[in-house]
Amino acid sequence: MAQSQTHGEGRQTLSLPPWFKRLLATLATVAATILGLLFVTFMIGRVMPIDPVLAVIGERATQAQYDETFRELGLDKPLMVQFGIYVGDVLLGDFGKSIRTGQEVATDIGRVFPATLELATLGTLIGVILGVPLGVIAAVRRGSWIDQVARFVGLIGYSMPIFWLGLVGLLVFYGILGWVSGPGRVGIFYQGIVEPITGMLLVDSALRGEWAVFRNAFSHIILPASLLGYYSMAYISRMTRSFMLEQLGSEYVTTARVKGLSEWQVVWGHAFRNIRIQLVTVIALAYANLLEGSVLTEIIFAWPGIGSYITTSLLANDMNSVLGGTIVIGVIFVGINIFSDILYRFFDPRAK
Amino acid sequence: MTNRLSFAAAAAAALIMASDMAPAFAETPPNMLVIANRIDDIKTFDPAESFEFAGADVSRNVYEKLVNFDPLDLDAGYQPQLAESWDISEDGKTVTFTMAEGHVFSTGNPVTAKDAEFSLRRAVLLNKTPSFILTQFGFTPENVEETIVATDDKTLVLTLDKPYAVSFVLNCLTATIGGIVDMKAAMENEVDGDMGNEWLRTNTAGSGPYKVVDWKPSESVLMDLNPNYHGDAPAMERVIVQHIQESATQRLQLERGDIDVARNLSPEDVAGLDGVDGVKVVDELRGRLMYWAANQKNEMLSDPKVLEALKWAVDYDGMSGSFLKGQYTVHQAFLPLTFLGALEDKPYSFDMEKAKAALAESNHPDCGPIKISVREAQERLDISQSLQNTWGQLGCEVELIVGTGAQTLDRYRAREHDIYMGAWGPDYPDPNTNAATFAQNPDNADEAGNTGYLAWRNAWDIPEMSEKTLAAVVENDTEARAQMYRDIQAEHQQTSPFGVMFQQIEQNGMRSNVENFVAGGATTAVSYWVITK
């Protein structure tokens, strides 16, 4: 990436600083990844044996209306030209219009993504707060009842369909006990009170000082977030336990114990410090997974997130929406990877 | 131990915090109606463009029409609304409407014949999917200035290309596309000559009982009273329709009292509500039909005796009594019950002896391979599997070709199927809506591309029946017209490659105190303004 400039009195090479080179390389990778992702998704959308025109006009339309819409959608142009036009529009911030909602895709995503971000963030927080300590304790007390419980919880989390667990959760905590509110992001009496800032209702209601809305929104989100948190916890605790077992069997841990360090220092001060990088990867993966949108959870809890948005759009052959959503998901994955990379450098000086 | 306690404390704290914030009880206010429904099909509120079920529900409550149905007396047919009267010219080609006094748009502008002229003209000019409902009377973008004319603020004159049954014309004007929009509001928001189409997709400007104040696609629609509404003030001052996909979730909300009406309950959830205090289920016959259709390009399936055998070999009662219980009733004619000219006769029952006898008389006594093209919707798959079973008993080798809705529809429109397992709902509340597609085929040639006609999609060449269907739309004696449709259907049952099997029953769960909930029957959409609690 170095640039050379020739001056009249000789050659002088201007080297860019290493951090800038890394930044450029990262940006190039991101651009290539997103472009590749777009290309594959675009082509899949176009070669699928589904007629996008019918998705727009419905089955009752006349041939003349069909032909007109065919031209309007630009489907009369060669595939690569269509792709080029699409990428050009995206670069200008125009993701096109959703044929399913009739609105700009960017507007739709701006509405559904914050809902998913809010839910996934809270779910991941619950997963981390409960999963990491549970995994550590299960490893320290290997074979004890708490280890058995941790493994059982993990097993349930891996084997129980989220759809079923969500319905049971709704039935028990909403239907029978009435501890939490029902589906949706907020109760009908609280809708439209808070002017959006971030689109995340908990954050916005707190920023606006609308605490009644905050409490109601929290009572709506806690159940789906706990459900997602449970699945994250199952994954995170299992991986944490596995990482910790490996560390606790190491010679340096034995040495630390021989030196007379307390068990707390051995476990948290030494063994746990050494699994932080692996944990960052696991947590980042879990978070990214939830940010993609948990379609079934969103359907059960009537949560208007990006997962159900993309899925419904795909089934309706609304390719502009699918592509727009794909870009968002792609950017999220890349973003989380970059963030993990930064955390690696922070936790492990060798990575610098 | 400390850590263990901290987990328990954190978990308990979260639940306690949530329980503290959840409402202790739930009951919607007496002047507010809260509905759970699947509304992710709404693309637009513009009556010139809207053609989806959930969109029609909104439109009916927001836009008035020249003539409309009384929700508490649907059987009475169209009634005056924005037009207080109408006259037909001697040659039957000109309909002159006199506008009623006192109707005002939610914007505050009075409704005039100019608004009606604008609304009907723009529906033709915009040429969106439902425009055929108007253009079938000869209106074109080129002639609307002469054929749809407001001669003054009180008089609208429609000039048709030929005389039609007046009931046909007026029934079509009760469809969503007949909604009258505020010309001034629409034109103030016009962009690039779209006559306000873009603006009216997300905003409403009607004179009906309600106006849309908020719409979040696939999430909710919020309607408040139109303060200028001409009629009696509705009891429900606010209507909220929430998009709840899952039947089980809708049921839980209904039982808890968080919603007043649940519109998409599965048979299992309807059964589960039996005996639940404070909840009732109201059945209503709707216009949707379930049918199978045989492509006449397939030699075996064009044999009348094979078709007869297949119609006898359908377990109508078995299906309606089991997986379709409460959701569909057996119906075997192409006009839904409650439509003008509907035929109640059910000539076929599940009779394997008759089926085998008919097959034996055919040119294909051993039957042959049959592919049923079906979309991945549970009830259609269940019906197709039943057909696979009973037609299999006839000796036919039946294969199910399952695809998405768009895939199967593509195949159907391209006339590439053997058997299509489909559903059909009326586009407008006149018998011609179904007759013109099930019993009319203007040109059977492939290149004609008459994809809007189900008869064409099945390559069924029926010049004589097409003539009869066309004759029925110009018959002005309503009883004679009804009899013509009954005769066409009786013939259709015997000779057509269509096996109409079921008509939909909509089961709406609602709180016991909800009265006058009318989903719209077979002819129209839901009416919120008559509901009380």
Side-chain angles (χ1 to χ4, degrees):
Chain A
M1 287 293 170
Q3 285 183 341
S4 297
Q5 287 185 349
T6 304
H7 296 267
E9 294 178 1
R11 292 174 66 88
Q12 185 182 1
T13 303
L14 287 180
S15 317
L16 295 169
W19 67 265
F20 192 68
K21 287 182 185 174
R22 279 202 303 275
L23 181 66
L24 285 180
T26 305
L27 287 177
T29 308
V30 170
T33 306
I34 302 289
L35 193 67
L37 193 66
L38 268 185
F39 182 76
V40 171
T41 315
F42 185 88
M43 289 304 162
I44 288 174
R46 288 297 186 268
V47 300
M48 272 201 307
I50 298 177
D51 190 336
V53 181
L54 285 180
V56 178
I57 59 174
E59 68 166 303
R60 314 283 170 99
T62 62
Q63 192 61 38
Q65 287 166 327
Y66 180 97
D67 295 340
E68 189 181 332
T69 309
F70 189 82
R71 280 190 300 275
E72 278 176 11
L73 293 176
L75 296 171
D76 53 338
K77 298 183 174 67
L79 261 185
M80 289 312 293
V81 175
Q82 291 178 40
F83 181 65
I85 292 171
Y86 180 77
V87 172
D89 289 344
V90 168
L91 287 176
L92 294 172
D94 179 7
F95 291 83
K97 201 167 247 185
S98 162
I99 58 173
R100 194 170 60 80
T101 68
Q103 307 211 341
E104 294 292 333
V105 170
T107 309
D108 279 347
I109 290 176
R111 182 172 47 81
V112 298
F113 183 65
T116 294
L117 184 62
E118 187 171 42
L119 184 62
T121 304
L122 193 54
T124 305
L125 274 176
I126 292 171
V128 172
I129 290 170
L130 298 180
V132 172
L134 188 64
V136 171
I137 293 172
V140 173
R141 307 270 173 90
R142 188 180 188 185
S144 69
W145 68 268
I146 198 167
D147 185 28
Q148 302 299 337
V149 168
R151 289 164 68 183
F152 180 72
V153 164
L155 183 70
I156 297 288
Y158 265 80
S159 54
M160 197 75 79
I162 198 164
F163 189 79
W164 184 84
L165 209 57
L167 284 176
V168 170
L170 259 184
L171 176 66
V172 174
F173 295 108
Y174 165 63
I176 297 173
L177 299 172
W179 287 2
V180 299
S181 294
R185 293 181 74 187
V186 70
I188 52 172
F189 305 110
Y190 299 94
Q191 287 178 7
I193 292 177
V194 175
E195 190 67 27
I197 300 171
T198 63
M200 290 182 281
L201 207 48
L202 284 178
V203 177
D204 291 352
S205 54
L207 290 175
R208 301 272 187 204
E210 295 283 358
W211 296 107
V213 179
F214 180 88
R215 282 195 293 274
N216 187 266
F218 186 80
S219 78
H220 274 85
I221 200 174
I222 187 64
L223 189 55
S226 298
L227 188 68
L228 294 180
Y230 176 70
Y231 278 82
S232 286
M233 181 191 74
Y235 172 58
I236 291 169
S237 67
R238 196 172 71 99
M239 299 308 290
T240 306
R241 178 181 179 276
S242 169
F243 298 150
M244 282 298 286
L245 282 177
E246 191 185 339
Q247 295 297 324
L248 291 172
S250 303
E251 288 182 355
Y252 77 89
V253 169
T254 310
T255 308
R257 284 180 173 140
V258 168
K259 282 170 67 182
L261 293 181
S262 69
E263 190 63 11
W264 178 270
Q265 285 175 307
V266 170
V267 172
W268 295 100
H270 288 274
F272 184 73
R273 282 174 70 92
N274 284 337
I275 70 163
R276 287 181 305 179
I277 289 179
Q278 290 162 296
L279 263 187
V280 164
T281 309
V282 166
I283 293 168
L285 277 176
Y287 190 40
N289 197 32
L290 294 190
L291 279 174
E292 271 183 67
S294 179
V295 180
L296 294 177
T297 309
E298 288 177 2
I299 288 172
I300 295 165
F301 290 94
W303 198 265
I306 198 164
S308 55
Y309 177 76
I310 295 178
T311 308
T312 315
S313 301
L314 190 62
L315 292 174
N317 202 25
D318 182 359
M319 288 316 292
N320 279 348
S321 303
V322 174
L323 286 165
T326 305
I327 294 171
V328 172
I329 301 290
V331 170
I332 288 167
F333 262 86
V334 172
I336 287 180
N337 270 329
I338 293 172
F339 185 65
S340 304
D341 199 37
I342 294 168
L343 282 182
Y344 289 169
R345 292 166 200 280
F346 179 73
F347 286 137
D348 185 358
R350 288 172 300 181
K352 292 175 183 170
Chain B
M1 181 61 82
T2 309
N3 288 326
R4 261 179 275 159
L5 285 175
S6 65
F7 302 148
L15 273 176
I16 289 166
M17 192 176 168
S19 65
D20 189 42
M21 293 167 182
F25 64 94
E27 187 177 296
T28 59
N31 60 348
M32 184 189 290
L33 188 72
V34 184
I35 297 171
N37 193 10
R38 292 176 188 148
I39 57 167
D40 55 350
D41 63 343
I42 297 179
K43 296 176 184 173
T44 173
F45 295 131
D46 189 341
E49 190 175 18
S50 174
F51 208 46
E52 292 78 33
F53 290 111
D57 281 344
V58 174
S59 183
R60 177 158 168 76
N61 290 278
V62 167
Y63 291 101
E64 291 187 300
K65 292 140 189 173
L66 292 170
V67 288
N68 213 339
F69 292 107
D70 177 355
L72 298 181
D73 190 9
L74 289 174
D75 291 341
Y78 52 79
Q79 303 289 316
Q81 194 172 48
L82 290 177
E84 63 182 17
S85 63
W86 49 88
D87 293 310
I88 315 296
S89 65
E90 276 189 21
D91 66 0
K93 290 170 65 175
T94 305
V95 189
T96 304
F97 293 93
T98 302
M99 302 298 285
E101 298 278 355
H103 291 264
V104 182
F105 290 110
S106 57
T107 53
N109 299 320
V111 182
T112 69
K114 296 284 183 193
D115 295 298
E117 174 197 83
F118 170 77
S119 303
L120 299 181
R121 278 185 184 178
R122 74 186 286 276
V124 174
L125 291 166
L126 289 173
N127 192 29
K128 302 294 182 183
T129 302
S131 64
F132 72 92
I133 297 171
L134 295 182
T135 57
Q136 63 186 335
F137 298 110
F139 303 129
T140 65
E142 292 74 30
N143 72 16
V144 284
E145 290 193 12
E146 292 85 44
T147 54
I148 302 173
V149 179
T151 53
D152 57 48
D153 278 355
K154 281 209 71 178
T155 311
L156 177 75
V157 180
L158 301 184
T159 306
L160 317 175
D161 60 345
K162 62 180 182 182
Y164 293 95
V166 70
S167 56
F168 176 37
V169 179
L170 297 184
N171 275 330
C172 287
L173 291 175
T174 67
T176 298
I177 200 166
I180 304 304
V181 303
D182 182 347
M183 175 172 66
K184 196 173 169 197
M187 292 310 285
E188 279 172 1
N189 292 282
E190 185 183 39
V191 178
D192 298 333
D194 73 345
M195 305 177 88
N197 175 236
E198 191 66 36
W199 184 74
L200 285 169
R201 280 183 174 158
T202 52
N203 298 278
T204 56
S207 56
Y210 296 95
K211 59 180 178 178
V212 171
V213 292
D214 186 45
W215 171 46
K216 295 188 179 72
S218 303
E219 201 173 329
S220 64
V221 177
L222 174 63
M223 282 177 273
D224 275 351
L225 277 185
N226 166 11
N228 307 311
Y229 179 52
H230 172 73
D232 296 336
M236 297 298 106
E237 293 174 9
R238 171 167 281 195
V239 178
I240 299 176
V241 187
Q242 294 179 308
H243 176 68
I244 306 289
Q245 181 73 25
E246 266 302 302
S247 163
T249 312
Q250 290 192 8
R251 179 184 155 190
L252 270 178
Q253 288 183 291
L254 184 65
E255 289 184 11
R256 287 268 304 161
D258 283 344
I259 58 171
D260 296 304
V261 182
R263 297 203 59 188
N264 312 101
L265 295 176
S266 67
E268 295 77 20
D269 286 316
V270 168
L273 287 175
D274 192 25
V276 174
D277 279 347
V279 174
K280 62 183 177 184
V281 175
V282 176
D283 291 357
E284 196 172 334
L285 209 52
R286 301 306 303 268
R288 193 170 194 241
L289 302 174
M290 281 286 183
Y291 72 96
W292 56 264
N295 189 346
Q296 297 303 281
K297 287 189 168 187
N298 180 312
E299 189 202 339
M300 183 182 81
L301 294 175
S302 66
D303 186 328
K305 281 293 174 186
V306 171
L307 291 174
E308 184 187 339
L310 294 181
K311 288 175 186 175
W312 285 114
V314 175
D315 190 3
Y316 304 95
D317 292 331
M319 286 190 267
S320 68
S322 55
F323 56 82
L324 296 178
K325 190 173 183 181
Q327 311 273 304
Y328 282 90
T329 184
V330 176
H331 180 67
Q332 295 178 349
F334 63 68
L335 284 182
L337 292 176
T338 77
F339 259 61
L340 176 73
L343 184 68
E344 293 187 24
D345 293 352
K346 291 183 278 234
Y348 299 100
S349 56
F350 182 40
D351 190 329
M352 201 46 82
E353 291 304 313
K354 286 183 179 171
K356 285 181 175 170
L359 191 65
E361 290 177 35
S362 75
N363 294 323
H364 304 271
D366 299 325
C367 200
I370 296 175
K371 291 178 180 171
I372 300 180
S373 186
V374 56
R375 65 183 293 181
E376 50 190 358
Q378 194 56 50
E379 59 198 12
R380 297 192 202 194
L381 284 171
D382 289 340
I383 294 171
S384 299
Q385 282 167 353
S386 176
L387 294 178
Q388 188 180 33
N389 174 30
T390 53
W391 290 352
Q393 291 173 37
L394 266 182
C396 307
E397 190 185 312
V398 182
E399 182 187 354
L400 302 189
I401 310 293
V402 182
T404 64
Q407 284 173 323
T408 51
L409 188 58
D410 278 358
R411 206 155 40 228
Y412 195 26
R413 289 168 62 100
R415 314 211 279 191
E416 290 171 351
H417 61 290
D418 283 353
I419 295 282
Y420 177 78
M421 173 61 235
W424 187 266
D427 293 326
Y428 50 89
D430 185 85
N432 189 59
T433 184
N434 280 12
T437 192
F438 278 97
Q440 187 180 333
N441 184 357
D443 182 351
N444 196 41
D446 282 344
E447 55 273 17
N450 287 318
T451 52
Y453 297 85
L454 294 182
W456 181 88
R457 290 187 198 174
N458 289 287
W460 190 38
D461 198 9
I462 42 169
E464 287 180 14
M465 189 175 279
S466 297
E467 284 300 317
K468 292 177 187 173
T469 304
L470 286 169
V473 296
V474 296
E475 175 55 61
N476 248 319
D477 180 326
T478 303
E479 185 42 45
R481 189 172 179 231
Q483 188 56 46
M484 290 168 88
Y485 284 118
R486 283 193 283 271
D487 293 344
I488 293 169
Q489 287 174 94
E491 182 185 345
H492 194 270
Q493 285 176 327
Q494 300 300 326
T495 61
S496 80
F498 294 95
V500 180
M501 296 175 286
F502 306 107
Q503 181 174 348
Q504 187 190 13
I505 299 169
E506 185 172 317
Q507 294 187 296
N508 290 298
M510 59 195 79
R511 302 296 301 176
S512 303
N513 60 344
V514 176
E515 299 294 339
N516 296 337
F517 182 90
V518 182
T523 48
T524 186
V526 71
S527 310
Y528 300 129
W529 67 92
V530 292
I531 293 174
T532 59
K533 288 204 293 186

